[in-house]
Amino acid sequence: MIELLIAIGLFALMSGVLFGALRLAGRSTDAGEAKAEAVSGMRLTSDYLRRELTAQHPQRMRRMQAFPLLFGGTRDEVRFAGPLPARVGAGGMWYYRVSLAPVGEGQRRALVVDRMIPDLGALAMPQFGEAERSVLVDDIASLEISYYGRERGSSPDVVPTWRGSWDDPQLLPILIRIDVVPRTGAAWPPILIVPRAAPEAGCRSWDTARAVCVGA
Protein backbone atom coordinates (compact mmCIF):
# COMPACT_ATOMS: atom_id res chain seq x y z
CA MET A 1 0.00 0.00 0.00
CA ILE A 2 2.81 2.36 0.88
CA GLU A 3 4.55 1.56 -2.39
CA LEU A 4 1.35 2.37 -4.30
CA LEU A 5 0.97 5.72 -2.56
CA ILE A 6 4.59 6.56 -3.31
CA ALA A 7 4.13 5.62 -6.96
CA ILE A 8 0.97 7.75 -7.22
CA GLY A 9 2.77 10.68 -5.59
CA LEU A 10 5.72 10.40 -7.97
CA PHE A 11 3.37 10.18 -10.94
CA ALA A 12 1.50 13.31 -9.80
CA LEU A 13 4.80 15.13 -9.32
CA MET A 14 6.06 14.14 -12.76
CA SER A 15 2.73 15.13 -14.33
CA GLY A 16 2.92 18.56 -12.67
CA VAL A 17 6.49 19.09 -13.89
CA LEU A 18 5.57 17.94 -17.41
CA PHE A 19 2.50 20.22 -17.52
CA GLY A 20 4.55 23.20 -16.35
CA ALA A 21 7.20 22.51 -18.97
CA LEU A 22 4.58 22.27 -21.73
CA ARG A 23 2.90 25.48 -20.60
CA LEU A 24 6.24 27.29 -20.51
CA ALA A 25 7.10 25.98 -23.98
CA GLY A 26 3.73 27.17 -25.28
CA ARG A 27 4.24 30.63 -23.83
CA SER A 28 7.75 30.81 -25.26
CA THR A 29 6.47 29.81 -28.69
CA ASP A 30 3.68 32.42 -28.57
CA ALA A 31 6.12 35.12 -27.43
CA GLY A 32 8.58 34.15 -30.15
CA GLU A 33 5.91 34.28 -32.84
CA ALA A 34 4.66 37.67 -31.60
CA LYS A 35 8.19 39.05 -31.57
CA ALA A 36 8.91 37.69 -35.05
CA GLU A 37 5.68 39.26 -36.33
CA ALA A 38 6.56 42.60 -34.74
CA VAL A 39 10.09 42.55 -36.22
CA SER A 40 8.70 41.64 -39.64
CA GLY A 41 6.19 44.50 -39.50
CA MET A 42 8.92 46.91 -38.43
CA ARG A 43 11.19 45.90 -41.30
CA LEU A 44 8.48 46.02 -43.93
CA THR A 45 7.24 49.42 -42.77
CA SER A 46 10.76 50.86 -42.46
CA ASP A 47 11.66 49.64 -45.94
CA TYR A 48 8.43 51.07 -47.37
CA LEU A 49 8.91 54.52 -45.82
CA ARG A 50 12.58 54.67 -46.80
CA ARG A 51 11.84 53.61 -50.38
CA GLU A 52 8.87 55.95 -50.92
CA LEU A 53 10.39 59.05 -49.33
CA THR A 54 13.73 58.53 -51.05
CA ALA A 55 12.11 58.24 -54.48
CA GLN A 56 9.50 60.98 -54.02
CA HIS A 57 8.88 63.33 -56.96
CA PRO A 58 9.22 67.13 -56.65
CA GLN A 59 5.70 67.88 -57.86
CA ARG A 60 4.61 71.54 -57.78
CA MET A 61 1.33 73.41 -57.74
CA ARG A 62 1.31 74.99 -61.21
CA ARG A 63 -1.13 77.85 -60.58
CA MET A 64 -0.02 78.96 -57.12
CA GLN A 65 2.45 81.77 -56.57
CA ALA A 66 6.10 80.58 -56.65
CA PHE A 67 4.89 77.07 -57.59
CA PRO A 68 5.24 75.46 -54.13
CA LEU A 69 6.35 71.87 -53.70
CA LEU A 70 3.94 69.15 -52.68
CA PHE A 71 5.98 68.49 -49.55
CA GLY A 72 5.71 69.49 -45.91
CA GLY A 73 5.60 68.07 -42.47
CA THR A 74 5.48 68.38 -38.70
CA ARG A 75 6.55 66.10 -35.88
CA ASP A 76 3.28 64.18 -36.31
CA GLU A 77 3.07 63.75 -40.08
CA VAL A 78 4.93 64.07 -43.37
CA ARG A 79 3.36 64.82 -46.77
CA PHE A 80 4.97 64.09 -50.12
CA ALA A 81 4.25 63.26 -53.77
CA GLY A 82 5.16 60.01 -55.47
CA PRO A 83 3.97 57.38 -57.92
CA LEU A 84 1.45 54.73 -56.97
CA PRO A 85 2.81 51.26 -57.85
CA ALA A 86 0.92 49.73 -60.76
CA ARG A 87 0.24 46.59 -58.69
CA VAL A 88 -1.79 48.69 -56.23
CA GLY A 89 -4.00 50.51 -58.71
CA ALA A 90 -3.99 52.53 -61.87
CA GLY A 91 -0.59 54.07 -61.14
CA GLY A 92 0.06 57.75 -61.72
CA MET A 93 1.27 60.49 -59.37
CA TRP A 94 -0.30 60.62 -55.91
CA TYR A 95 -0.06 62.81 -52.80
CA TYR A 96 0.71 60.91 -49.57
CA ARG A 97 0.49 61.61 -45.86
CA VAL A 98 2.12 59.38 -43.25
CA SER A 99 0.78 59.92 -39.72
CA LEU A 100 -0.43 58.29 -36.51
CA ALA A 101 -4.19 57.81 -36.35
CA PRO A 102 -6.75 56.06 -34.10
CA VAL A 103 -8.08 52.77 -35.45
CA GLY A 104 -10.88 50.53 -34.26
CA GLU A 105 -12.26 50.86 -30.75
CA GLY A 106 -10.50 52.06 -27.63
CA GLN A 107 -7.22 53.93 -27.61
CA ARG A 108 -5.38 51.90 -30.25
CA ARG A 109 -3.40 53.92 -32.76
CA ALA A 110 -1.74 52.84 -35.99
CA LEU A 111 0.84 54.20 -38.40
CA VAL A 112 -1.21 54.95 -41.52
CA VAL A 113 -0.69 56.33 -45.00
CA ASP A 114 -3.38 58.42 -46.70
CA ARG A 115 -3.23 58.94 -50.47
CA MET A 116 -5.06 60.99 -53.05
CA ILE A 117 -4.62 62.23 -56.61
CA PRO A 118 -3.67 65.92 -56.34
CA ASP A 119 -5.05 68.63 -58.64
CA LEU A 120 -1.82 70.38 -59.60
CA GLY A 121 -3.82 73.14 -61.29
CA ALA A 122 -5.74 74.11 -58.13
CA LEU A 123 -5.30 77.47 -56.39
CA ALA A 124 -4.74 75.92 -52.94
CA MET A 125 -2.78 73.01 -51.51
CA PRO A 126 -4.72 69.72 -51.61
CA GLN A 127 -6.35 68.39 -48.45
CA PHE A 128 -6.84 64.76 -47.36
CA GLY A 129 -10.56 64.94 -46.57
CA GLU A 130 -11.58 62.02 -48.80
CA ALA A 131 -8.25 60.25 -49.14
CA GLU A 132 -7.81 56.49 -49.30
CA ARG A 133 -6.20 55.07 -46.15
CA SER A 134 -4.00 52.05 -45.54
CA VAL A 135 -2.67 50.83 -42.18
CA LEU A 136 1.08 50.26 -42.23
CA VAL A 137 1.45 48.85 -38.72
CA ASP A 138 -0.93 48.70 -35.75
CA ASP A 139 -0.55 49.31 -32.01
CA ILE A 140 1.86 52.26 -32.09
CA ALA A 141 2.48 54.48 -29.05
CA SER A 142 4.26 57.43 -30.64
CA LEU A 143 5.60 58.84 -33.90
CA GLU A 144 8.17 61.62 -34.18
CA ILE A 145 9.44 63.03 -37.48
CA SER A 146 12.43 65.39 -37.76
CA TYR A 147 13.86 67.33 -40.70
CA TYR A 148 17.47 68.30 -41.28
CA GLY A 149 18.14 71.41 -43.33
CA ARG A 150 18.70 75.16 -43.42
CA GLU A 151 16.31 77.99 -42.72
CA ARG A 152 14.75 79.56 -45.80
CA GLY A 153 17.10 82.22 -47.20
CA SER A 154 20.18 80.99 -45.34
CA SER A 155 23.51 81.02 -47.17
CA PRO A 156 25.10 77.68 -48.13
CA ASP A 157 27.79 78.07 -45.46
CA VAL A 158 25.20 77.99 -42.65
CA VAL A 159 25.27 74.67 -40.80
CA PRO A 160 21.99 72.73 -41.23
CA THR A 161 20.04 71.83 -38.09
CA TRP A 162 17.36 69.34 -37.06
CA ARG A 163 13.85 70.74 -36.58
CA GLY A 164 10.37 69.48 -35.86
CA SER A 165 8.65 70.89 -38.94
CA TRP A 166 9.39 71.68 -42.57
CA ASP A 167 7.48 74.41 -44.35
CA ASP A 168 9.95 75.58 -47.02
CA PRO A 169 7.81 75.62 -50.21
CA GLN A 170 10.85 75.48 -52.53
CA LEU A 171 13.40 73.06 -51.08
CA LEU A 172 13.30 69.53 -49.71
CA PRO A 173 15.09 68.78 -46.43
CA ILE A 174 18.54 67.23 -46.60
CA LEU A 175 17.50 64.38 -44.29
CA ILE A 176 14.28 63.06 -42.79
CA ARG A 177 14.28 61.02 -39.59
CA ILE A 178 11.31 58.95 -38.42
CA ASP A 179 11.18 57.51 -34.88
CA VAL A 180 8.48 54.98 -34.06
CA VAL A 181 7.72 53.50 -30.63
CA PRO A 182 5.27 50.57 -30.46
CA ARG A 183 2.87 50.26 -27.53
CA THR A 184 4.68 47.11 -26.43
CA GLY A 185 8.29 46.24 -27.06
CA ALA A 186 11.37 48.28 -27.83
CA ALA A 187 11.48 51.41 -29.97
CA TRP A 188 12.34 50.91 -33.64
CA PRO A 189 15.79 51.88 -34.89
CA PRO A 190 15.59 55.41 -36.36
CA ILE A 191 14.55 55.51 -40.04
CA LEU A 192 16.84 57.93 -41.90
CA ILE A 193 15.88 59.05 -45.40
CA VAL A 194 17.83 61.09 -47.94
CA PRO A 195 15.44 62.58 -50.56
CA ARG A 196 16.96 61.69 -53.91
CA ALA A 197 15.37 64.19 -56.30
CA ALA A 198 16.57 67.79 -56.50
CA PRO A 199 13.65 70.25 -56.13
CA GLU A 200 14.52 72.04 -59.37
CA ALA A 201 13.62 68.83 -61.21
CA GLY A 202 9.99 69.89 -60.83
CA CYS A 203 10.58 73.25 -62.55
CA ARG A 204 10.93 74.43 -66.11
CA SER A 205 12.78 77.50 -64.81
CA TRP A 206 14.78 77.54 -61.58
CA ASP A 207 16.28 80.72 -60.09
CA THR A 208 19.52 79.46 -58.56
CA ALA A 209 20.39 82.76 -56.86
CA ARG A 210 17.09 82.90 -54.95
CA ALA A 211 16.54 79.10 -54.83
CA VAL A 212 13.01 79.51 -56.11
CA CYS A 213 10.94 78.04 -58.93
CA VAL A 214 9.90 80.67 -61.48
CA GLY A 215 8.22 78.37 -63.97
CA ALA A 216 6.57 74.97 -63.63
Side-chain angles (χ1 to χ4, degrees):
M1 190 63 161
I2 295 176
E3 290 82 356
L4 179 60
L5 291 175
I6 292 174
I8 292 174
L10 289 174
F11 179 76
L13 179 62
M14 293 176 61
S15 297
V17 171
L18 181 60
F19 176 76
L22 290 174
R23 184 169 60 180
L24 179 61
R27 288 178 177 175
S28 299
T29 299
D30 292 343
E33 290 178 351
K35 186 174 182 179
E37 184 177 351
V39 170
S40 176
M42 176 192 72
R43 289 178 177 172
L44 288 173
T45 302
S46 297
D47 290 346
Y48 168 81
L49 293 174
R50 190 175 290 109
R51 180 177 64 251
E52 295 301 314
L53 280 162
T54 297
Q56 65 180 290
H57 285 233
Q59 292 291 309
R60 292 181 177 268
M61 299 300 291
R62 297 168 185 161
R63 296 185 62 189
M64 291 180 63
Q65 185 176 3
F67 312 103
L69 280 166
L70 275 177
F71 182 89
T74 63
R75 288 193 182 277
D76 304 317
E77 66 177 46
V78 59
R79 305 175 300 276
F80 61 97
L84 182 70
R87 66 179 183 277
V88 177
M93 195 60 58
W94 289 63
Y95 191 36
Y96 296 89
R97 178 178 63 188
V98 175
S99 62
L100 202 59
V103 293
E105 300 178 354
Q107 302 299 316
R108 286 174 48 242
R109 296 191 298 172
L111 189 63
V112 303
V113 57
D114 299 312
R115 61 179 181 267
M116 59 172 291
I117 299 176
D119 180 4
L120 300 179
L123 298 176
M125 297 295 284
Q127 304 299 315
F128 287 89
E130 298 182 359
E132 299 177 14
R133 170 167 291 183
S134 299
V135 174
L136 296 177
V137 62
D138 200 358
D139 223 9
I140 298 298
S142 67
L143 167 70
E144 184 172 345
I145 308 173
S146 305
Y147 311 86
Y148 186 71
R150 298 180 180 87
E151 290 284 354
R152 181 72 189 157
S154 299
S155 61
D157 58 346
V158 172
V159 178
T161 58
W162 284 103
R163 64 200 64 194
S165 64
W166 190 265
D167 54 10
D168 189 330
Q170 298 296 324
L171 297 173
L172 298 173
I174 300 170
L175 291 171
I176 303 168
R177 171 174 170 154
I178 300 177
D179 292 286
V180 179
V181 180
R183 193 173 61 83
T184 58
W188 294 9
I191 305 170
L192 287 174
I193 298 123
V194 182
R196 186 171 59 196
E200 56 266 32
C203 287
R204 286 178 299 149
S205 301
W206 176 258
D207 187 332
T208 304
R210 295 187 298 147
V212 64
C213 182
V214 294

